[in-house]
Amino acid sequence: MRVMSHVSFDFSKIFPPELPLRPEQIALVVRRGSHAYGTSVDGSDEDIAVVYVPTEMDLLGFHNLQDGRQVKHSHSWPAPTDGMAHSLQQAFRLGVSSNPTIFETLGVSQEDVLYETEVGARLRAYVPKFLSRRVAKSFYGFAEHNYCYDREGTNPKALMHSMRLLLMAKEILTEGKLLVKRPDREALLKIRLGMVPAHDVRADLHRLIAELPALAEISALPDQANVPDALRECMDLTKLAWGSPRS
């Protein structure tokens, strides 16, 4: 795969030795999480996300049937560098489902792209085609998870992430924009630092939750992403990575 951009990238500093990926499989490496949102504070973890292309043997071979090994489409590893790796196929599958995690991975600002091949660049360029009215439910679901995880409803970090997700959903539905680097960084940081009363934040969250269904109804976005088109692009990018002719 032709490398489009990188910054003195050393894979060994990010990938643990046991991760079963080779550098030539990597299509995209980005900085994600609070550093990508612009809401990091002292001590915030360095989060990394990776998109890789499975080998032809993994996708087309039979060895996984022979030895009982399933082809994994995602991997994660712990600190000091928290990481998550998704296969290209999983990235498309999550994309057409309006999954917030993959949107936050593919929609980062250019400054947070650490390594990118032609395949990675084309995948990121495809993101606008993933956007659909489904974000109302998917982003709400993730926001609710954050909120419910904080049983007292008073954890500033959980409240901030719930607010961020709902605001992103509103922007996607009304403007068709995926803004991972938050333009409202200062307001979100005030929530995270506990400078805004929790009951005020909860009131704003409930207001946004009530707005989303109506915003989805009038949104100019399609009801869902074009799955056949996404499938063709996924196949073309896989073939490009393998050096095979496109369909």
Side-chain angles (χ1 to χ4, degrees):
M1 290 185 286
R2 184 163 63 94
V3 175
M4 303 293 287
S5 65
H6 61 89
V7 284
S8 303
F9 201 77
D10 184 353
F11 289 102
S12 66
K13 290 184 178 180
I14 287 184
F15 301 142
E18 63 273 16
L19 192 68
L21 300 177
R22 299 192 302 271
E24 60 267 25
Q25 290 180 259
I26 308 305
L28 182 69
V29 182
V30 302
R31 185 183 295 109
R32 65 178 300 272
S34 59
H35 290 280
Y37 310 145
T39 59
S40 60
V41 296
D42 289 343
S44 290
D45 292 336
E46 181 79 8
D47 295 321
I48 298 296
V50 175
V51 177
Y52 66 95
V53 182
T55 65
E56 290 178 87
M57 180 68 76
D58 276 339
L59 281 186
L60 305 179
F62 67 88
H63 64 285
N64 59 309
L65 300 178
Q66 183 180 38
D67 61 18
R69 180 175 66 86
Q70 296 295 312
V71 176
K72 291 187 66 175
H73 285 274
S74 64
H75 305 270
S76 61
W77 59 96
T81 301
D82 289 336
M84 171 61 73
H86 291 295
S87 71
L88 181 67
Q89 288 68 29
Q90 180 75 340
F92 271 93
R93 187 179 301 117
L94 294 174
V96 298
S97 300
S98 296
N99 179 278
T101 299
I102 204 66
F103 279 10
E104 292 174 359
T105 295
L106 303 181
V108 297
S109 300
Q110 190 62 44
E111 65 196 73
D112 292 311
V113 176
L114 304 179
Y115 179 90
E116 185 176 56
T117 66
E118 183 178 359
V119 170
R122 280 185 52 180
L123 172 61
R124 293 207 325 121
Y126 195 86
V127 168
K129 294 186 177 182
F130 286 139
L131 303 183
S132 74
R133 297 180 183 184
R134 294 183 68 174
V135 300
K137 289 185 177 180
S138 61
F139 274 67
Y140 165 69
F142 272 65
E144 184 181 41
H145 173 77
N146 274 311
Y147 188 70
C148 290
Y149 180 74
D150 171 27
R151 296 182 183 276
E152 300 294 323
T154 57
N155 181 287
K157 185 176 180 180
L159 289 172
M160 181 201 70
H161 282 305
S162 294
M163 179 65 70
R164 177 183 58 79
L165 285 162
L166 293 174
L167 289 171
M168 288 178 68
K170 182 176 181 179
E171 292 157 358
I172 293 171
L173 291 169
T174 59
E175 304 174 39
K177 294 180 180 179
L178 175 60
L179 303 177
V180 175
K181 185 74 75 177
R182 298 307 305 156
D184 47 10
R185 171 184 180 274
E186 296 300 329
L188 290 173
L189 278 174
K190 286 182 179 180
I191 296 174
R192 178 169 188 170
L193 297 174
M195 298 169 64
V196 182
H199 62 83
D200 289 348
V201 181
R202 289 197 299 270
D204 287 339
L205 289 174
H206 293 152
R207 175 181 53 79
L208 284 167
I209 289 169
E211 287 181 0
L212 287 184
L215 293 177
E217 284 291 327
I218 63 174
S219 175
L221 293 174
D223 290 336
Q224 61 182 23
N226 185 328
V227 175
D229 185 77
L231 178 59
R232 284 191 295 270
E233 183 69 0
C234 181
M235 292 173 64
D236 279 348
L237 292 185
T238 302
K239 292 176 181 179
L240 176 61
W242 291 346
S244 304
R246 301 184 194 177
S247 58

